[in-house]
Amino acid sequence: GPRPRPPGGSGGAVAAAAAAGGRPPRPGRAPRAQRPAEVPARRGGCGEPGVAGGRQPGLSALHLFGDPAEVEALRGSLLAWYDECKRDLPWRVLAVTEPDVNRRAYAVWVSEIMLQQTQVATVIDYYNRWMQKWPTLQALAEASLEEVNELWAGLGYYSRGKRLQEAARKVVSELAGQMPRTAEDLQKLLPGVGRYTAGAIASISYGQATGVVDGNVIRVLCRLRCIGADSSSPPVIDRLWAMANALVDRSRPGDFNQALMELGATVCTPKAPLCGECPVKQHCRARLRVEKELALASRKLLGKLPVVPDVEDCGVGGCPLCPPAAELWDSSLGVTNFPRKAAKKQPRVEQTATCVLERRGRRGALEYLIVQRPSSGLLAGLWEFPSVPLAPGLQQEQQREVLVDHLQAWAGQPVAAGSLRFIGEVVHVFSHIHQTYVVYSLSLDGDVTLDLASSPSRWVTEEEFRASAVSTAMKKVFGESWDFPPLHLLGS
Ligand code: SF4
Ligand code: ZN
């Protein structure tokens, strides 16, 4: 999922590198060929046949990086900006100074796991302490889980630390201490390493020309290419991976990937992107669109007829990357029209009649009937007051009848609809259901025998009710019935 990587402070450990003003050398690391022979000098974007994520029949040029010269220019601008503006972070220093390839991959891996769900500023200190304590896979493999959890304390999502250690043990015991050498193998062989983390480790520590897609990359790419379809949908995610793989700079893939993420974290931010300062603004089609709109608006203001028709989408009918036709471009949002996530599904609206059935118990205390829900489905196995779902649109009288029918079985005696007392309505929102309980109460006289053939049920005192496995919704229902002048105080 998307990882927050907002701007943060820089670590003390990197002061030297920062002071050196520029990229620290990579001692002992074999220099990578600037342009390996098998890679053409200009490796292009999505529209170029033969390139990963290449030509897509039916996709408008609006969404593609079809011009190799533009791709090259974009890479250059982004990398130049990164070299100048990147935040100095301890793992970035290790990624370029650590000569041992396994140690380097391990250092990047630890940072990537810590950065999942956690902000850069928080991670720095944990990262430095971790790497000091366990500078190698072997050291981590020998640590106890207790120690790992202690160091992880406060970082959250504890299973991350545990899994990291388990994976380190696996590398040491099953892979002879050698980290898998490609993104594919990293993902395949290391527990807890997904597509993103594998791509990050492989590009940053091995120089493999493979892209990454995290929340920041999603945002930047969707804006660069006006992708407004649901950015969490599989076709869009696939398309973004193809784009990231095609765009990644062949000679500096790790820096390119970090640059793209850094851009999303510091410039192309979710709510207030700094387009004026953006190094790739001349390649950004969301920005182009905003500028066109402004130009159009000012022409209209001047009373001139628009010379360019207003373009609403890419012109491809049923385009899988454009926003749904119903969701029009919102001019007030500008470039933040992209990316879009599907609107949350509206919860289903349901109504349930429920009855607080009470009797005077043997010891004189009031008792309430609760019944157990089925062992599967919503609120499985929890206890509740006898309840029955109501069809939509029933009048109050009809609701009473439905409830009375349902209650006869429980009460073991005929119940007159008129003896039900309406208490009120209680609304409870489950994750996907907006449930309204229409609450009634009914006081029973005399001995009541329960039909043991139906669902499990029992009479409970108020205290027992509160101690029972009842849902929050039912506690609300019970509270509602107590907010009313209780039946038993009115006397009957
Ligand atoms: Fe993001 Fe604006 Fe740059 Fe486009 S121009 S990539 S919207 S910051
Ligand atoms: Zn489109």
Side-chain angles (χ1 to χ4, degrees), residues 267-347:
V267 175
C268 194
T269 55
K271 297 220 173 91
L274 308 167
C275 297
E277 299 168 25
C278 177
V280 296
K281 60 175 178 249
Q282 68 273 33
H283 308 292
C284 180
R285 298 204 170 141
R287 180 170 158 87
L288 189 66
R289 175 166 184 162
V290 170
E291 280 174 352
K292 271 193 189 159
E293 262 198 348
L294 290 175
L296 200 66
S298 61
R299 287 185 67 84
K300 276 182 185 157
L301 261 183
L302 294 171
K304 294 182 188 163
L305 285 174
V307 278
V308 239
D310 207 2
V311 183
E312 282 301 333
D313 61 22
C314 66
V316 172
C319 171
L321 301 181
C322 272
E327 293 171 34
L328 291 175
W329 168 270
D330 180 345
S331 295
S332 69
L333 292 179
V335 297
T336 66
N337 271 285
F338 308 111
R340 290 192 199 187
K341 275 199 182 152
K344 262 200 183 164
K345 257 216 219 148
Q346 285 300 309

Side-chain angles (χ1 to χ4, degrees), residues 108-148:
V108 172
W109 181 17
V110 172
S111 72
E112 291 297 341
I113 299 294
M114 285 189 171
L115 285 166
Q116 290 168 4
Q117 331 277 346
T118 310
Q119 302 203 339
V120 169
T122 309
V123 166
I124 292 172
D125 181 47
Y126 283 89
Y127 183 80
N128 287 332
R129 280 190 286 130
W130 182 287
M131 293 308 291
Q132 207 163 13
K133 189 159 183 165
W134 302 302
T136 62
L137 282 161
Q138 287 72 14
L140 178 59
E142 282 163 21
S144 72
L145 180 59
E146 183 95 3
E147 288 175 297
V148 168

Side-chain angles (χ1 to χ4, degrees), residues 122-244:
T122 309
V123 166
I124 292 172
D125 181 47
Y126 283 89
Y127 183 80
N128 287 332
R129 280 190 286 130
W130 182 287
M131 293 308 291
Q132 207 163 13
K133 189 159 183 165
W134 302 302
T136 62
L137 282 161
Q138 287 72 14
L140 178 59
E142 282 163 21
S144 72
L145 180 59
E146 183 95 3
E147 288 175 297
V148 168
N149 282 339
E150 269 168 25
L151 203 148
W152 204 274
L155 208 48
Y157 301 93
Y158 286 79
S159 62
R160 291 184 295 168
K162 179 168 174 265
R163 271 198 298 182
L164 190 53
Q165 196 216 22
E166 284 165 0
R169 285 188 173 159
K170 181 174 176 184
V171 175
V172 170
S173 65
E174 293 174 31
L175 305 174
Q178 300 293 306
M179 287 284 284
R181 287 287 189 273
T182 63
E184 297 70 33
D185 283 350
L186 285 161
Q187 189 180 348
K188 204 162 61 190
L189 297 174
L190 298 186
V193 171
R195 193 175 182 184
Y196 165 79
T197 308
I201 298 172
S203 62
I204 298 171
S205 45
Y206 306 147
Q208 185 186 347
T210 187
V212 295
V213 173
D214 75 343
N216 286 318
V217 173
I218 289 174
R219 187 166 56 255
V220 174
L221 292 181
C222 284
R223 288 176 182 168
L224 286 176
R225 283 302 176 265
C226 290
I227 297 174
D230 177 8
S231 67
S232 61
S233 68
V236 173
I237 290 290
D238 283 353
R239 194 66 219 147
L240 292 170
W241 275 99
M243 262 185 200

